[in-house]
Amino acid sequence: MNQTIDFLKELVAIPSPTGYTKDVQDYLIEVLTDMGYQPKRTAKGLVIVTVEGANDKEQRAITAHIDTLGAIVRAVRPDGRLKLDRIGGFAWNMIEGENCTVHIASNGNTVSGTILLHQTSVHVYKEAGTVERSQDNMEVRLDEKVTNEKETRALGIEVGDFVSFDPRCVVTPTGFVKSRFLDDKVSAAILLTLLKKYKKEGITLPVTTHFMFSCIEETGTGANSSIPSEVVEFLAVDMGAMGDDQQTDEYTVSICVKDGSGPYNYDFRQQLVSLCKEKEIPFKLDIYPYYGSDASAAMRAGAEVKHALLGAGIESSHSYERTHIDSIEATQSLVDAYLLSDLIEE
């Protein structure tokens, strides 16, 4: 797990809200090239590594997404603070009080700040605790001496500049991992670890596999293109959603039966369950009611594949998230077992 956690720490430290992912793409290209692979980057920003296997007539695709939630400057207020528009699906209260960084397109500089409710001070605003958090009253307090719109714009800040959130990544002595963007950088770290293992140990996969790191999943598109026609199985490695009526926890791998796009392929799901039982990997089956994945995006785009979804159990998804090393290990073990197994039998 040390290697996976190291990759995770490096990944979450790179700002990558959807639409602003070049830096994390560059990181992947560099790391994968150093491993000895020949990654390619598509026009849309997918980073793809193809690992030749014993069977190349029928192939596999496996994905993790490297884009995250974030925001974009919508307006500069008269007092110099910034109004935001959301990137990805989250409620405003989930980022209230979070430190952030404004990435200035005009000059390449960054400015730090904090995302706050306009009526934050309880000494001034009677309704501070009850007022609805919305786009109209959430703002960025910049860490610069600005008191009006002109002074803020003098920094180079303009509508359309991206805003990333502080990940605050912590690994506790008890094995918990707390951070923003565990969705889905845990999965990306797992794929990097396995790719490094296969190259270092000279492992030949039974099936040619395309490892795809997508960069626009949080806005619903995902890895829905550049899928070779030979691909017959498509596995999305993402996150398991936790909450009321959910079986998913922070200590097992979660296998998705159905999400907001509909049921996942039954035979594929059963193969994953069989691998868990055979390898004694702790797992849970679950339904994610308000969810979509790279695999569901590929299906909507018309991919002719069997599709499946699994991932580590993530508490408080799309907020300040948490999982446990046990869940990461179980997820990595299942992905490894799948990639080293034969294709699903008809």
Side-chain angles (χ1 to χ4, degrees):
M1 282 290 95
N2 289 339
Q3 179 64 83
T4 303
I5 296 301
D6 286 345
F7 278 137
L8 175 61
K9 289 177 178 177
E10 292 174 0
L11 284 164
V12 297
I14 302 171
S16 57
T18 308
Y20 190 80
T21 57
K22 185 179 183 299
D23 288 347
V24 73
Q25 293 171 34
D26 289 345
Y27 167 85
L28 290 173
I29 295 290
E30 180 180 354
V31 168
L32 292 165
T33 300
D34 287 347
M35 288 182 191
Y37 292 104
Q38 296 179 312
K40 66 178 183 179
R41 180 174 4 207
T42 70
K44 193 163 66 175
L46 284 169
V47 175
I48 303 175
V49 170
T50 298
V51 179
E52 299 294 335
N55 176 5
D56 64 355
K57 292 182 179 179
E58 294 183 307
Q59 302 176 5
R60 287 171 165 158
I62 183 169
T63 72
H65 71 85
I66 52 173
D67 62 315
T68 70
L69 306 174
I72 198 165
V73 176
R74 180 175 183 270
V76 182
R77 302 180 69 109
D79 63 359
R81 296 191 178 192
L82 307 179
K83 294 185 71 172
L84 299 176
D85 196 23
R86 288 174 292 190
I87 297 174
F90 59 91
W92 286 106
N93 64 289
M94 293 182 180
I95 59 168
E96 184 176 1
E98 188 61 87
N99 290 327
C100 65
T101 301
V102 182
H103 303 270
I104 305 175
S106 63
N107 56 28
N109 294 334
T110 60
V111 174
S112 65
T114 306
I115 301 168
L116 296 167
L117 177 72
H118 179 76
Q119 305 95 323
T120 291
S121 176
V122 296
H123 297 99
V124 177
Y125 301 102
K126 182 178 180 180
E127 72 277 19
T130 58
V131 67
E132 179 185 1
R133 274 63 176 162
S134 70
Q135 181 172 272
D136 292 331
N137 60 15
M138 297 296 292
E139 59 190 24
V140 176
R141 179 187 65 195
L142 296 170
D143 298 328
E144 294 284 344
K145 289 185 176 180
V146 293
T147 58
N148 56 58
E149 179 181 353
K150 182 178 179 180
E151 290 172 344
T152 294
R153 290 189 182 275
L155 298 172
I157 292 174
E158 185 51 85
V159 171
D161 286 342
F162 284 89
V163 178
S164 61
F165 310 148
D166 185 349
R168 291 186 288 134
C169 184
V170 176
V171 181
T172 74
T174 53
F176 287 99
V177 183
K178 303 188 293 185
S179 180
R180 289 193 181 273
F181 317 132
L182 298 180
D183 169 22
D184 184 35
K185 290 184 174 181
V186 164
S187 302
I190 286 171
L191 296 193
L192 288 175
T193 296
L194 293 177
L195 282 164
K196 185 172 183 177
K197 169 189 170 183
Y198 299 152
K199 180 64 72 172
K200 182 178 180 180
E201 298 181 8
I203 294 172
T204 299
L205 298 180
V207 180
T208 292
T209 303
H210 307 276
F211 291 74
M212 306 174 72
F213 298 87
S214 68
C215 62
I216 44 179
E217 194 272 351
E218 291 293 0
T219 52
T221 305
N224 66 352
S225 61
S226 301
I227 304 169
S229 59
E230 294 85 1
V231 170
V232 295
E233 295 178 5
F234 190 113
L235 176 63
V237 187
D238 206 319
M239 51 145 271
M242 294 176 57
D244 292 344
D245 298 327
Q246 300 295 105
Q247 293 195 114
T248 299
D249 59 31
E250 296 173 271
Y251 315 109
T252 62
V253 58
S254 180
I255 300 172
C256 185
V257 174
K258 175 186 178 294
D259 67 9
S261 68
Y264 283 78
N265 182 270
Y266 179 77
D267 292 332
F268 201 160
R269 180 242 289 188
Q270 290 302 95
Q271 185 196 28
L272 296 173
V273 170
S274 294
L275 286 170
C276 285
K277 292 178 178 179
E278 176 188 342
K279 304 293 184 180
E280 298 184 341
I281 301 168
F283 74 98
K284 296 288 175 62
L285 295 174
D286 222 335
I287 292 172
Y288 314 155
Y290 310 110
Y291 191 111
S293 71
D294 279 330
S296 53
M299 297 300 283
R300 286 194 300 271
E304 187 60 47
V305 295
K306 295 181 176 70
H307 70 312
L309 167 64
L310 61 84
I314 303 295
E315 162 64 24
S316 299
S317 61
H318 282 201
S319 185
Y320 186 49
E321 299 166 340
R322 192 182 80 165
T323 190
H324 194 275
I325 288 175
D326 289 353
S327 186
I328 300 174
E329 184 173 17
T331 303
Q332 184 165 301
S333 296
L334 178 53
V335 173
D336 188 30
Y338 166 69
L339 292 173
L340 296 177
S341 67
D342 292 324
L343 289 166
I344 300 167
E345 295 183 5
E346 295 294 338

